[in-house]
Amino acid sequence: GAGVSQTPSNKVTEKGKYVELRCDPISGHTALYWYRQSLGQGPEFLIYFQGTGAADDSGLPNDRFFAVRPEGSVSTLKIQRTERGDSAVYLCASSLRGNTEAFFGQGTRLTVV
Amino acid sequence: QKEVEQNSGPLSVPEGAIASLNCTYSDRVSQSFFWYRQYSGKSPELIMSIYSNGDKEDGRFTAQLNKASQYVSLLIRDSQPSDSATYLCAGGQDSNYQLIWGAGTKLIIKP
């Protein structure tokens, strides 16, 4: 597609539920990043994919968070047993390769009630 | 010391003037540098990238990189009210491909 697409744009879920957030990167981009952003803060790194593999998952806060990119294109961020503290905007970005210009999707605003 | 530091602002600049945004970084950040603009409620939008020392100009925007002093700046000439946003600085690393982000500077252009 022309840009990075994230779905859904908004997600409200109850505490304890499971959620999946989807990211469709720019065609041909091998690098894909997931970030989380809270109000007034810069993006907080979660995980970086190079192709199908997670090259760096050091930003995932705990084992409730997991992400996959099985075919090296679309990625899904999965959050189990959601907590109110998980509420944030989840941003996905892709770049042609690592350390180059990254382009962001519109984000998914997750609210855990 | 944070790895990428920015003054949170707000930085208030009159319309038509030059806005100067600055970012300093630590030794861990040494590769590419990027400036992003983020409007409230929107995702970051890439404005400029700079990879080597010196100036890089693109329209009203100029990025300046000084690796010896470990800072990168963004100048916005002829500032417009539509430039009012938060500007995020990010840098790449030698060791991996993760970008390190500053918390952003809020810029307000006053008509």
Side-chain angles (χ1 to χ4, degrees):
Chain A
V4 179
S5 176
Q6 290 186 249
T7 54
S9 54
N10 278 286
K11 176 72 176 178
V12 180
T13 190
E14 292 180 347
K15 180 175 177 294
K17 299 288 188 182
Y18 167 83
V19 296
E20 288 190 352
L21 311 180
R22 177 189 166 106
C23 173
D24 197 345
I26 293 172
S27 179
H29 280 195
T30 62
L32 185 147
Y33 305 83
W34 281 100
Y35 294 91
R36 178 168 70 174
Q37 189 174 30
S38 301
L39 198 62
Q41 302 295 316
E44 173 195 359
F45 170 77
L46 296 177
I47 187 169
Y48 159 67
F49 286 92
Q50 179 58 45
T52 59
D56 184 350
D57 65 357
S58 61
L60 295 177
N62 51 60
D63 61 6
R64 295 186 297 106
F65 288 75
F66 188 70
V68 295
R69 195 186 185 198
E71 297 177 357
S73 178
V74 171
S75 176
T76 305
L77 178 65
K78 308 179 180 192
I79 310 174
Q80 297 178 318
R81 305 183 304 280
T82 51
E83 299 177 356
R84 291 196 179 87
D86 298 335
S87 297
V89 175
Y90 288 80
L91 295 166
C92 175
S94 72
S95 63
L96 198 57
R97 58 185 186 279
N99 259 342
T100 59
E101 299 167 340
F103 299 90
F104 283 84
Q106 79 279 19
T108 294
R109 182 175 297 278
L110 176 66
T111 304
V112 182
V113 298
Chain B
Q1 181 196 2
K2 291 182 182 176
E3 293 178 303
V4 175
E5 290 207 62
Q6 296 182 256
N7 188 319
S8 62
L11 173 66
S12 185
V13 173
E15 183 176 358
I18 295 175
S20 178
L21 302 158
N22 298 305
C23 175
T24 57
Y25 59 89
S26 70
D27 291 341
R28 189 176 160 200
V29 182
S30 59
Q31 285 283 340
S32 41
F33 297 88
F34 307 94
W35 281 101
Y36 285 80
R37 177 176 64 198
Q38 188 172 26
Y39 293 114
S40 181
K42 302 292 185 183
S43 58
E45 172 193 10
L46 179 68
I47 297 178
M48 295 279 287
S49 58
I50 186 165
Y51 299 89
S52 55
N53 271 331
D55 295 0
K56 180 181 177 183
E57 187 174 319
D58 184 359
R60 295 187 296 114
F61 299 97
T62 299
Q64 299 175 319
L65 175 60
N66 184 322
K67 291 189 177 183
S69 301
Q70 294 185 301
Y71 80 79
V72 57
S73 61
L74 180 70
L75 302 178
I76 307 175
R77 289 181 298 281
D78 188 24
S79 297
Q80 303 297 310
S82 59
D83 294 326
S84 298
T86 295
Y87 288 80
L88 297 161
C89 168
Q93 304 176 74
D94 281 334
S95 58
N96 59 40
Y97 296 113
Q98 184 191 145
L99 294 179
I100 306 294
W101 293 83
T105 298
K106 185 172 183 178
L107 175 66
I108 299 172
I109 306 299
K110 293 190 169 180

